[in-house]
Structure formats: C-alpha cells, structure tokens
Amino acid sequence: MSNYLNLGNEKFQISLNSEIYVDKSGLIEYTNKSISTRQRFICVSRPRRFGKSMAAEMLEAYYCRGCDSHAQFDGLQISNAQTYETHINKYNVVYINVVKFINKTVDTKSGIETIKENLVDDFKTAYPDITFRKEEPISMLEKIYGEKKIKFVFLIDEWDSPFREQKADTDGHDDYLVFLRSLFKDQEYVALAYMTGIHGIKKFCTNSSLNMFQEFSMEFPGPVKQYFGFTDGEVKALCAERGFSYDGIRDWYDGYIFENKPGEDLHMYNSNSVVSAILDNQLMSYWPRTESFEDLKQYIRLNSDGLHDVLTKLLCGDTYQIQEEIFFEDDTTQRYLNKILKQLVNLGYLAYDRGKSSVYIPNLEIKREFIEVISGMGDDPLSMLVSLSLEIIDTTLNKDGEKLANLIAKFHETCAPTRTFNDEATLADVMRFAYIAAQSEYRIESEAQAGKGYADLIFMPYDVGRNPPMVTELKYNKTADEAIGKIGDRHYVKHFDKFSYKGDILFVGINYDSGKEKDGSDGTYTVRFETVKI
C-alpha cells in the first residue's frame, strides 16, 4: 500500500457522502489554470475548520492517476469548465499531511527522514521497471518524469506543522525549508504544488527559499476566497433547505468580509460551525480549541504595546483603525501590536476590513471565545473588567438595584475609562464599558433612534428565549425614576417593532448624582427597574 503516492479518491468520497456537502469544486478551475505555469505554486492559509483539508482531498481525487473520478465530479461545478477533461486523473499525486509526521512527539528532523523514506518506498513500488541509481526522493522524481513524462501534483496539508508543533526547533525548521525548496524550486516535474496551513509562508520564511509561492490568506484571500468557508448565499440556501434560522446563523458565524468586486462584499462563514449548528439544531460556539486558542491566551497575557486597550474597544463592538502600510510590512519591521493583530486576523479571532483599514471581532462565536479567555485570566486588569461586567449583567437580569448600583460604582472606580463625569454623554460612555461582556449575549445599540427620541442603550438578545430585551436610560444629577419615566414617555419600546418582538422588556433607569463630588468624595448611583409587556 502506498504512503503518499496516488492514494485515490476515497477521502473525498467521505465528504460527498456527508449529510451536508457544499460544492467547492470551482477551486479546481483555478488550479487547472495554474498547472505547469509560473503560478503553479500555491499556499492557502486559513484558521481551523475552514475546509482546507477537504479542498486538498478534493484536488487529490480530481488529479490522481490510477482511479476514475468522473462519477464524483460529473455533477459538480467543475464539470462545466473547459479544462475539466484535460486534467482529471492525469497526474501522479503526492499527498502528505505533515502533522502526522512532525508534531509535539516527533521532532522535525525525524519527521523529514520518515517522509523521505516513505517517498522512496512509494516510488520503488509504483515504478519497479525503473532503475534508480540513487534512492533519494528528488533524484527519483526527476528519473520518473524523465522516463514516463508524467508530471506530479504535490498536496502538502498542514505545511506549517513544524513551526507550530516544534516551536523551539529552529535548526529543524531550516532543514524543513531546505527540503521543501529542493522538492519544488525550479523542478520540471512539478505540475502543481499546493500547500495549506494556518500560517502563511512569510511568517516563517524571511529569505527567498519559497518565494515562488503565491500566498492566499485571511489578509489577502485572492481569487480563491469563496472556496474556504461558506459564502452568504450558500448559508442562505442551506438554512432554507433545512428550515434553520438564517438570522441566527448570521449573528453567530458571519463577519469575515472580503472585497469581491466594486460595490459588493463577500461574506464568509466558518463552514464547520455552520454545519455543526445545523446538524445539532443548536446555535453555540463550535470554535476549535487548538494551539491557536493557547496562542490567543498568550497574546492577551503579555498585553504588549497596548493590546488590552485595543481589545476593550473591540469588545465594545467598535473597530480599530490600523495603518495599512505598516500592518502589511514584514513581521520583522512591524510594531509588536500590529504583529499581534495581524496574527489574530490569520487565526480567525479578528477580521480585517480592507476598505476601512480596520480590524474587528467578526461574530458572536468569537466574542464568546474572547470573553471566556479573558474572564479566566485571574488578576489581569482586562480579566477584572470582564469579570465585573459579567457580574453587572447577572445583577441587572436579577433586578437587584442596590447591588447593581454598588457594582457600577466599583466599575467606575476601578475600570472605567474616565472617572470625571460632566454630563449624560460621559456617563453613557462608562456604561458601554460596564456592559462590555453583554456583547456575547446581546446586540447593543448606543443612542439608538426609538419612538420619539434616542435611547441611551438598547439591548436585543440573540436568544430571546434566554434573556429579555432591555432599555437602559441614564440620568445625570436627576433621579432613576425620571430615567424610567423617559423610557415610557418617549415610547422607546417602538424600537423593538423591527424585530417583531412580543413579550417582556426590562427598563433600567440609572442615575449618577455628582453632588458629593463637590466635597471631594465620589458620586453615587441609584438604579430602578420596571418590566413592561408589549
């Protein structure tokens, strides 16, 4: 049995057999155009569970000699392409999942040797009629191509495994890059070299060893952007077919937005999360807890270059403006904050809006991941802010006015961006931060037009069965009763008409009395609640 060479189409058939399958075979039309051209070297980096491995298995099934894959592809999008018959099952395909051979228990050098030995065995078995003077992969590949004139397609899945799994093995990393360079660089036998990973080549390769590769990442998704993850149209079709809530899927998993063409953006979803939610019939976080999750925790702990301030802004639902010319420079020349933000974009924890040159947290799933990570970090200032905010939310929902007033006062004292209030606007700014953790449960609108005016804060839950909508009105040197009265007088509940919501709404009136500040002491908060039904 072969280790890597011409393994057939069985892995792709598993995808086709699955209860939910979305056709991504349009990718093949792009790779067909790249066959035996200067563009034949392709590296696709995406976060976990965006369909990278499935795409590689699809390419294997399509290009692999020794099997007939027409039955798999004849009904798919690629079958309509002019190049369909030209390339199907015409190549020797080498498929290597690097993480199987280089991981936390196998060092890079040993893994490379195993890969080389297995390649030698495959070539000797597949071509017993060829006399190999030297049993070494590169010379054997050259010999096979020289005698048979059959080119090779190389599919390298998890290409960056050595850098992720053996982080301290710098000598091994150099050996690995040399191996890849010798395998691909200027080799006539290469029809296509296609690599996938979480990280791109530039992160680890600062020299020219693999400079022949085109890189398509979360920053620069390029012409393959629609083939990794699900598009908005694909999600709508799935939800309609399965009778599932499109609005819920959008809130939880949408948010990666790529430029498609002028005036049109392409929304992409984590395909694993969408499929899991539909099959489980449950909206929740399906984000994989891998080494990327550990990287996120490490970045937050270090709080380098003001990262906490940026994350606080992002968790409030804002965006963070970056300097694009700095953001996309090589890692060696970046400010450390930009380097971290860039990594979080590539890991999927942040999304990048190229048109506005800003980063943001893409969706509810990722907001919950941030909040869970931050709230469990102990005495860290950002963790204290989030933990206190979580307690403020629970106390609000429990309608404990005295406790809530004390918690907001504590937040004002220890976590607020300003301790000096001049009017309701500065008070509202502090309240946005006080309810920062509510972003994982509520869609929050500030100064939202409602009824006959503008409500200070409106909270619409993502799950109306779990939490009630809330309207929070803030007063400065007045009373909490006046705040509650204004909510009713201005008919702020009309705001919820657009959600077709019927049920209880929690009114929260908060007043800050600055009178004591004149004596040099802190002001006081009072809170009142009222529940109304619409």
Side-chain angles (χ1 to χ4, degrees):
M1 181 177 177
S2 181
N3 298 295
Y4 316 125
L5 181 64
N6 295 334
L7 299 179
N9 53 27
E10 292 183 6
K11 291 195 291 290
F12 181 54
Q13 187 60 46
I14 292 173
S15 295
L16 294 174
N17 293 343
S18 299
E19 187 173 343
I20 293 177
Y21 172 75
V22 174
D23 182 4
K24 294 293 181 178
S25 64
L27 173 66
I28 299 171
E29 187 170 6
Y30 176 78
T31 56
N32 280 350
K33 293 176 183 177
S34 303
I35 291 282
S36 297
T37 70
R38 295 291 182 187
Q39 290 72 48
R40 69 189 185 279
F41 302 101
I42 299 169
C43 181
V44 174
S45 59
R46 289 292 188 279
R48 293 283 189 193
R49 306 304 185 191
F50 270 75
K52 301 186 301 295
S53 294
M54 190 282 290
E57 292 165 2
M58 176 183 69
L59 295 176
E60 178 185 38
Y62 175 77
Y63 289 117
C64 182
R65 297 177 71 245
C67 63
D68 184 354
S69 300
H70 281 84
Q72 293 178 319
F73 290 99
D74 278 351
L76 300 184
Q77 181 182 345
I78 183 58
S79 64
N80 298 316
Q82 291 182 352
T83 58
Y84 177 52
E85 289 293 346
T86 305
H87 299 287
I88 190 169
N89 302 131
K90 297 294 197 307
Y91 298 89
N92 280 320
V93 173
V94 173
Y95 185 107
I96 304 174
N97 187 336
V98 179
V99 77
K100 291 183 178 180
F101 303 96
I102 303 173
N103 49 53
K104 285 183 171 62
T105 60
V106 181
D107 65 86
T108 307
K109 184 176 181 180
S110 298
I112 294 171
E113 290 306 310
T114 299
I115 291 172
K116 288 181 177 180
E117 291 170 3
N118 288 344
L119 284 171
V120 168
D121 289 343
D122 285 353
F123 298 151
K124 288 168 62 178
T125 302
Y127 292 99
D129 58 322
I130 296 179
T131 300
F132 296 106
R133 294 181 180 178
K134 186 178 181 181
E135 293 186 356
E136 187 275 330
I138 286 44
S139 62
M140 295 176 80
L141 284 162
E142 292 172 340
K143 183 76 169 177
I144 293 168
Y145 176 62
E147 293 198 14
K148 302 297 183 179
K149 297 303 178 184
I150 301 171
K151 288 194 172 186
F152 285 78
V153 168
F154 293 88
L155 305 172
I156 311 297
D157 202 9
E158 304 276 7
W159 91 273
D160 56 337
S161 174
F163 304 96
R164 294 186 283 106
E165 303 286 344
Q166 294 284 340
K167 294 182 178 180
D169 187 10
T170 54
D171 290 340
H173 298 165
D174 291 340
D175 291 342
Y176 179 61
L177 291 174
V178 169
F179 169 65
L180 291 179
R181 185 183 189 280
S182 62
L183 190 63
F184 300 138
K185 187 80 169 181
D186 299 325
Q187 298 289 4
E188 292 184 8
Y189 56 71
V190 179
L192 177 72
Y194 178 95
M195 303 199 305
T196 75
I198 295 175
H199 301 290
I201 292 170
K202 290 180 181 178
K203 175 175 171 59
F204 307 112
C205 186
T206 56
N207 54 38
S208 61
S209 58
L210 297 177
N211 62 354
M212 64 283 199
F213 275 87
Q214 302 176 86
E215 292 196 65
F216 302 127
S217 65
M218 295 295 279
E219 303 163 34
F220 295 108
V224 301
K225 52 183 166 287
Q226 68 268 37
Y227 302 122
F228 299 92
F230 290 163
T231 67
D232 196 53
E234 290 165 345
V235 170
K236 285 181 179 177
L238 280 174
C239 289
E241 176 187 332
R242 310 285 299 211
F244 202 83
S245 168
Y246 165 71
D247 289 340
I249 290 281
R250 182 191 57 202
D251 287 337
W252 272 87
Y253 312 116
D254 185 17
Y256 302 98
I257 303 174
F258 302 138
E259 286 184 324
N260 197 26
K261 53 187 177 181
E264 180 182 312
D265 290 328
L266 182 69
H267 287 240
M268 297 300 296
Y269 298 65
N270 183 315
S271 47
N272 177 74
S273 296
V274 172
V275 169
S276 298
I278 291 175
L279 292 180
D280 292 349
N281 196 32
Q282 185 173 5
L283 294 167
M284 57 180 287
S285 177
Y286 295 96
W287 195 259
R289 299 293 175 85
T290 61
E291 72 279 357
S292 298
F293 188 74
E294 297 303 317
D295 287 343
L296 174 64
K297 290 197 287 189
Q298 183 66 15
Y299 289 143
I300 295 174
R301 284 194 188 98
L302 290 174
N303 186 27
S304 299
D305 212 4
L307 178 63
H308 282 189
D309 292 338
V310 175
L311 290 182
T312 300
K313 181 179 177 70
L314 297 178
L315 285 169
C316 281
D318 296 333
T319 62
Y320 178 74
Q321 201 82 11
I322 52 91
Q323 290 181 273
E324 185 169 303
E325 65 275 11
I326 296 176
F327 193 61
F328 293 115
E329 288 177 2
D330 291 339
D331 287 349
T332 53
T333 61
Q334 288 179 343
R335 288 176 54 212
Y336 199 66
L337 175 61
N338 281 321
K339 184 176 181 179
I340 292 175
L341 295 177
K342 183 176 180 179
Q343 283 302 104
L344 293 179
V345 168
N346 284 323
L347 293 174
Y349 289 106
L350 295 179
Y352 175 62
D353 185 333
R354 194 170 184 180
K356 298 179 180 178
S357 297
S358 60
V359 294
Y360 58 95
I361 297 175
N363 53 46
L364 178 56
E365 182 179 43
I366 302 302
K367 283 179 183 176
R368 291 199 174 188
E369 292 298 305
F370 269 106
I371 288 172
E372 182 168 340
V373 169
I374 293 168
S375 62
M377 290 175 58
D379 295 334
D380 182 273
L382 184 59
S383 177
M384 293 172 62
L385 183 153
V386 170
S387 297
L388 186 54
S389 178
L390 287 168
E391 191 174 2
I392 286 172
I393 297 166
D394 288 341
T395 304
T396 302
L397 293 173
N398 290 331
K399 295 184 284 189
D400 187 335
E402 183 177 353
K403 182 178 179 181
L404 180 59
N406 291 332
L407 286 173
I408 293 175
K410 181 180 178 181
F411 189 92
H412 179 183
E413 176 72 23
T414 59
C415 302
T418 177
R419 292 189 59 196
T420 303
F421 293 168
N422 300 312
D423 51 28
E424 290 170 11
T426 51
L427 176 61
D429 192 41
V430 169
M431 290 302 104
R432 286 179 67 241
F433 283 89
Y435 283 94
I436 191 171
Q439 291 280 345
S440 67
E441 299 285 346
Y442 288 90
R443 183 186 297 106
I444 304 175
E445 297 181 59
S446 302
E447 285 296 313
Q449 186 172 5
K452 298 179 180 180
Y454 292 85
D456 289 326
L457 293 171
I458 286 185
F459 299 74
M460 185 63 195
Y462 293 107
D463 183 356
V464 293
R466 177 173 175 175
N467 296 310
M470 298 190 298
V471 179
T472 299
E473 184 66 22
L474 310 170
K475 289 296 179 184
Y476 179 78
N477 283 340
K478 295 183 180 177
T479 68
D481 286 338
E482 287 181 90
I484 290 288
K486 184 177 178 181
I487 296 174
D489 293 343
R490 297 291 181 90
H491 303 290
Y492 287 162
V493 294
K494 296 291 291 181
H495 182 81
F496 297 97
D497 289 350
K498 66 180 181 181
F499 300 109
S500 301
Y501 175 78
K502 299 295 180 183
D504 289 343
I505 295 179
L506 180 61
F507 291 176
V508 185
I510 300 175
N511 179 64
Y512 178 74
D513 185 353
S514 65
K516 292 185 178 181
E517 290 183 345
K518 298 173 183 177
D519 303 325
S521 56
D522 291 335
T524 57
Y525 286 92
T526 54
V527 179
R528 185 185 160 193
F529 299 99
E530 184 175 317
T531 300
V532 299
K533 184 181 289 290
I534 61 171

